[in-house]
Amino acid sequence: MNLLYTDVEDTLRAAVRDVLADRCPPAAVLGRIEGGEPYDPALWRVLAADLGLAGLLVPEKLGGQGASAREAAVVLEELGGAVAPVPFLGSAVLATSALLGCDPADPGVAALLGRLAGGAATATLAVPLSTAPGDPFPHSVRADADGRLTGTVTSVADAVTADVAVVAAVGPEGPGLYEVAAAEVAVRRFGALDLTRPPADLRLEAAAGRLLPAADPAAALGSALLTGAALLASEQLGVAQWCLDETVRYLGERRQFGRIVGSFQSLKHRLADLWLEVVNARAAARAAADAVASEAVDAAVAVRVAQAYVSGVAVRAAEEAVQLHGGIGMTWEHPLHLYLKRAKADTIALGTPGRHRAALAALVDLPPARG
C-alpha cells in the first residue's frame, strides 16, 4: 500500500487547485447559494471537459482518462477544500462506477460512459445518498416488462443538474439498473443543510427506461457505493484540511491584548491536536482510495475504517474553525458555515460512521459488545 502522492497526482492537484482558485473563490460560492442556483455549470465545463476530470475513472478506450480511484481522490480533496458546487461525486464517481459495473461492451453503456467522460452529459445514481455499501438493493422503484419505471427515490445527490439518471429498480426478472433521461423524471428540491450539494427527491411515473445489461446489477451497485464511500473520505479530508489551514492563518494574523491570538498556548494545543487528527485522516482516506484502486482483498475494511474515522474529523475541524474564528465565524458572510454544513451532511452520506463501525466489526470478526 502506497499512501504517498505520485508526481502525476501532485500535478493533477495543482491543475485543479489553480482552476478552483480562479473560478471558485469562497465569495463566488456564497453568492451562488444566495442566488438559488447552487451548481456552477461553467466551472463544471472547465473541470469536466477541459481538464477531463469527468472521465477519470472511465477507460481510455471508452473516451475517458483511464485513471484510478487514487487520482479521483486527489480531485475530491481539492473539491472538498473549495466546497465546489459541481456534480463530481454524483456523476463522475457514483453514476460512472455503477455504469462500469454493467457491461461496457454494450453499445448503450459505452455511449453513455463516453458522454459522461467528455462532459457532454452528467448523471446521477438514483439511490438515497444515505445508502451504504452492503445495504439491500433498493425496492422503491418498480419496472414493468416494457421498461417503464414507477416509484420514488428520496434524497438523491446531484440530481438537480443531471441529464441522465441511473435508476436502481426491481423488474420482472429481478434487480436491475436502468438509464432514464432527466425529462422522464420529476425532480423536487427541498430545504437541505448542505447548500452546495442539495439533494432532491425523484418521482417516476411510468418513466421510459432502458435496462443496462449487467451480470449482477446488485454487485454493480454495491461496488459503486463502496467506491463512492472511499472517495467521499477524501472530500471530507479536503474539508478538514481547509478548515485547519484557514484557522491557522486567521489566528496567525488576529491580535488581542497586544499579542497574536495564535501565540496563546491553549490555542496552540487545540490546533496541534487537530493537526494530528487531520494527518491520521489523510492516511485513512489515502488507504481507502489506494485499496479501491488496486482492488485489494481488504478494500471493504479500508473503506469502512476511513468512513468511520474521517467523517468525525471533518466535523470537528469545521466546528473548531467556527469557534476559533470567534464572532466572524458565526456570520453568513464568512464561508465557514458552508464547510460545517458539508461536513455534517457528509456524515450521513453513503452510511453513517456508526454503520461503518458496525460493518467493520463484522468484517474483522469482532464480536458485538454485550448489552
Side-chain angles (χ1 to χ4, degrees):
M1 180 175 291
N2 180 12
L3 303 185
L4 301 178
Y5 297 98
T6 66
D7 291 341
V8 172
E9 290 165 357
D10 286 338
T11 302
L12 176 62
R13 179 193 302 281
V16 176
R17 185 172 292 181
D18 285 346
V19 170
L20 294 175
D22 183 46
R23 295 174 174 267
C24 189
V29 180
L30 283 169
R32 184 160 290 280
I33 63 170
E34 289 178 344
E37 186 181 357
Y39 288 95
D40 187 339
L43 174 62
W44 178 239
R45 277 195 297 274
V46 173
L47 295 172
D50 296 351
L51 291 188
L53 303 186
L56 276 181
L57 298 179
V58 179
E60 291 183 77
K61 64 182 180 181
L62 297 176
Q65 307 301 320
S68 73
R70 288 178 57 98
E71 288 78 18
V74 170
V75 173
L76 272 166
E77 282 183 38
E78 295 303 311
L79 296 180
V83 285
V86 293
F88 186 84
L89 181 67
S91 182
V93 175
L94 289 171
T96 295
S97 297
L99 289 169
L100 289 172
C102 299
D103 181 7
D106 175 74
V109 174
L112 181 53
L113 281 170
R115 290 172 59 204
L116 298 183
T122 61
T124 183
L125 181 60
V127 297
L129 186 56
S130 59
T131 307
D135 280 359
F137 194 87
H139 283 66
S140 63
V141 179
R142 295 280 176 177
D144 63 19
D146 296 325
R148 296 279 175 179
L149 278 66
T150 300
T152 301
V153 189
T154 59
S155 301
V156 178
D158 296 331
V160 174
T161 188
D163 302 295
V164 177
V166 178
V167 182
V170 179
E173 298 182 1
L177 297 176
Y178 292 77
E179 174 188 350
V180 181
E184 298 281 335
V185 182
V187 179
R188 186 185 70 85
R189 279 185 60 184
F190 54 87
L193 179 64
D194 184 2
L195 302 174
T196 57
R197 187 162 58 206
D201 294 340
L202 306 186
R203 179 66 184 168
L204 299 97
E205 296 281 358
R210 190 180 74 84
L211 179 62
L212 299 168
D216 187 342
L221 177 61
S223 177
L225 294 172
L226 189 70
T227 300
L231 297 184
L232 180 65
S234 289
E235 178 185 286
Q236 294 165 314
L237 169 63
V239 170
Q241 186 69 62
W242 185 91
C243 290
L244 174 61
D245 293 345
E246 182 64 17
T247 305
V248 170
R249 184 199 63 77
Y250 178 78
L251 295 183
E253 297 175 353
R254 179 75 171 167
R255 301 185 71 87
Q256 197 171 52
F257 307 116
R259 292 177 56 185
I260 294 293
V261 172
S263 66
F264 292 110
Q265 190 174 41
S266 61
L267 300 187
K268 288 181 180 178
H269 287 174
R270 288 172 66 169
L271 290 174
D273 290 343
L274 187 57
W275 180 81
L276 285 173
E277 291 188 32
V278 173
V279 169
N280 290 334
R282 184 176 302 280
R286 291 297 293 166
D290 186 79
V292 170
S294 60
E295 300 180 353
V297 294
D298 60 349
V301 173
V303 174
R304 302 292 189 179
V305 168
Q307 273 300 308
Y309 182 75
V310 184
S311 290
V313 174
V315 172
R316 205 174 99 73
E319 289 176 340
E320 284 286 84
V322 169
Q323 189 173 74
L324 292 175
H325 272 72
I328 189 65
M330 306 287 181
T331 64
W332 183 264
E333 289 76 13
H334 199 285
L336 270 172
H337 65 92
L338 299 177
Y339 290 84
L340 179 58
K341 292 167 182 171
R342 174 65 69 87
K344 286 280 191 181
D346 279 356
T347 60
I348 60 173
L350 303 172
T352 63
R355 293 185 64 190
H356 285 291
R357 290 190 189 95
L360 178 62
L363 287 171
V364 298
D365 297 327
L366 183 67
R370 295 179 178 177

